[in-house]
Amino acid sequence: MSDTIQQFRGFDLFAFTFSSTVTMGVAFLPYVADGEIRSAWLKLILMSIPYFFLIWLISRYFRLYDNNDFFKVLRNNAGYLVYFIIMAYLILSSIFSTMKVTQDLTFLVRTFMLKTTPTFFIILPFILLISIAVHYGLFTIVRFVSFFVVAELILLATFLIWGFFSEYFNWIFIPPVMNVEIPVFLKSSISDAARYGGIVTLLGFIQYVKREEKTFRAMSAGLLCVMLIYVSLSLVVLGVFGYEEAIHLISPIITLVQSITPSTGLLERMDLLFLGFWVISFIKVSCILFWFSIYLLEQLFPKIKRGILIVCITPLFFIYANWVPFQFIEGWQVYNINVLVASLLVPCLLLIFVILRHRNSREMVL
């Protein structure tokens, strides 16, 4: 498989980082988080900081271990029992995250595009597309995400500039309103920390990047773009609608796109263009999360073929999207806590452990 070759460049790493975490937050920011939501844009900045630290640890590992597979290094340093427990936890977390993202994708399409179409017929083509991409490997996925990332950035930048300079935008709505205690503000930030959780997939991807590439610069640029987009979208929505009006909208962003779109001309249905790229963003992050799940399973069960693993896991996506009621995952809920642990706390601890082990032993693990 082409996955075993160190072939990706800095732009691929940037695109992978960016695409791994831009999904639901684009449309429903900043009003699905509980607690202090008038200052949600501050939380988005605050909760990105720990993930920049995680990226620094990943780049540090990359320099020390010379493209070696992180999880093989972990197994050799931590022992098989600890390795098995950690792998099992990360596999379950990444599979469930993929299930949640595919359900979010289904909810998006049903809400804004195909309101009367049964869920099964909506999710079936998406699951087939994601499964085929994962079957053909990482190279296919990276080419897919890299092809669309520039167009996404141009579209979002155009929309943001349009929003900030709109006649409806009012800076008076922007200053944060801190009407709760600091502990409550930090507690409610958990839901925003979960938005950056896809960064954990870099643990599997980093080994395929060419050694000479500036990994920290590429990864931090991807995360910075995500954070700036989230914050800018939050500010535009606040500036145009104000908090009291925006809180009652299903999706302030979609309403905003529709409100600033010209009534005639080429951009008459800019909201459809926005929705189209939004769907692509969901497909990309689903591909990345599903690939990471299969990658971890292949590490734990190397004798089982990838196609069998895909066939065994794919039905879970159908079941979850069809029979589990959709709900916004807000605040201090189990899912968001688990995302924080699985995508930030555990990876940071593991990276610190292997980095310190390298310093002590000075032996390269093959």
Side-chain angles (χ1 to χ4, degrees):
M1 280 265 177
S2 58
D3 290 9
T4 60
I5 303 174
Q6 297 166 10
Q7 58 185 326
F8 298 118
R9 307 302 299 264
F11 179 78
D12 298 319
L13 181 57
F14 162 80
F16 189 91
T17 305
F18 177 85
S19 300
S20 69
T21 190
V22 173
T23 52
M24 204 69 168
V26 172
F28 295 98
L29 278 171
Y31 305 105
V32 297
D34 67 345
E36 174 50 64
I37 52 183
R38 297 184 190 228
S39 305
W41 60 273
L42 281 178
K43 295 189 296 181
L44 294 166
I45 298 174
L46 177 67
M47 296 313 298
S48 69
I49 296 174
Y51 284 94
F52 279 105
F53 175 67
L54 172 60
I55 282 175
W56 179 82
L57 289 175
I58 294 175
S59 66
R60 178 67 176 167
Y61 165 84
F62 179 79
R63 292 194 300 270
L64 290 176
Y65 282 90
D66 194 26
N67 289 96
N68 282 287
D69 188 324
F70 171 77
F71 293 99
K72 291 181 180 178
V73 172
L74 177 65
R75 181 182 59 193
N76 292 335
N77 283 278
Y80 187 77
L81 178 61
V82 174
Y83 167 79
F84 181 85
I85 294 173
I86 292 172
M87 291 292 285
Y89 171 65
L90 292 178
I91 288 169
L92 292 174
S93 296
S94 59
I95 290 175
F96 186 75
S97 293
T98 311
M99 291 163 57
K100 185 67 177 70
V101 170
T102 53
Q103 187 193 51
D104 292 345
L105 174 59
T106 306
F107 172 80
L108 158 66
V109 176
R110 290 199 64 183
T111 302
F112 296 104
M113 296 179 178
L114 303 174
K115 297 182 179 181
T116 61
T117 304
T119 301
F120 177 83
F121 292 106
I122 294 175
I123 195 174
L124 179 60
F126 293 132
I127 294 300
L128 290 176
L129 176 61
I130 293 166
S131 299
I132 291 172
V134 173
H135 174 73
Y136 279 101
L138 188 58
F139 182 82
T140 300
I141 295 172
V142 173
R143 293 284 76 82
F144 174 54
V145 302
S146 298
F147 178 79
F148 282 101
V149 70
V150 174
E152 284 181 85
L153 288 172
I154 293 174
L155 176 65
L156 287 169
T158 302
F159 167 69
L160 290 171
I161 293 172
W162 200 343
F164 276 120
F165 290 96
S166 167
E167 59 180 318
Y168 307 108
F169 187 85
N170 193 334
W171 285 99
I172 197 173
F173 296 128
I174 299 304
V177 179
M178 295 294 294
N179 58 359
V180 297
E181 300 292 333
I182 294 298
V184 177
F185 176 84
L186 295 175
K187 180 180 178 180
S188 68
S189 298
I190 291 296
S191 59
D192 294 299
R195 302 182 194 280
Y196 301 109
I199 297 297
V200 68
T201 56
L202 291 170
L203 290 177
F205 181 76
I206 193 68
Q207 63 181 303
Y208 304 121
V209 178
K210 293 184 176 182
R211 179 67 182 174
E212 65 272 14
E213 296 298 322
K214 305 293 185 181
T215 56
F216 179 72
R217 184 170 62 185
M219 291 185 291
S220 59
L223 179 57
L224 181 64
C225 283
V226 173
M227 185 267 286
L228 290 177
I229 287 171
Y230 282 168
V231 172
S232 299
L233 287 172
S234 300
L235 292 176
V236 168
V237 170
L238 282 174
V240 172
F241 294 108
Y243 168 76
E244 298 298 338
E245 181 179 353
I247 194 68
H248 299 294
L249 300 174
I250 296 177
S251 173
I253 300 299
I254 297 299
T255 304
L256 183 58
V257 172
Q258 293 171 337
S259 67
I260 66 176
T261 297
S263 58
T264 60
L266 180 63
L267 298 179
E268 181 178 353
R269 293 308 307 272
M270 187 176 177
D271 57 325
L272 293 180
L273 181 63
F274 183 85
L275 283 169
F277 275 94
W278 190 21
V279 169
I280 292 172
S281 293
F282 270 94
I283 295 174
K284 290 193 300 181
V285 77
S286 297
C287 288
I288 291 172
L289 288 172
F290 194 17
W291 167 81
F292 188 62
S293 304
I294 298 298
Y295 163 78
L296 294 177
L297 283 167
E298 288 178 326
Q299 295 277 334
L300 208 55
F301 307 105
K303 294 184 179 180
I304 302 179
K305 293 183 178 181
R306 177 178 298 182
I308 296 176
L309 295 173
I310 292 174
V311 170
C312 291
I313 296 175
T314 298
L316 298 177
F317 305 148
F318 287 99
I319 294 171
Y320 192 84
N322 279 279
W323 285 287
V324 177
F326 176 84
Q327 62 173 337
F328 290 117
I329 303 297
E330 304 173 353
W332 199 258
Q333 294 187 15
V334 174
Y335 176 79
N336 282 333
I337 296 173
N338 181 71
V339 170
L340 190 62
V341 173
S343 68
L344 182 62
L345 181 60
V346 170
C348 282
L349 292 176
L350 296 178
L351 284 162
I352 291 172
F353 170 72
V354 297
I355 289 171
L356 292 177
R357 289 284 293 181
H358 180 272
R359 288 183 176 179
N360 292 333
S361 64
R362 299 295 179 182
E363 294 178 358
M364 300 304 294
V365 180
L366 300 179

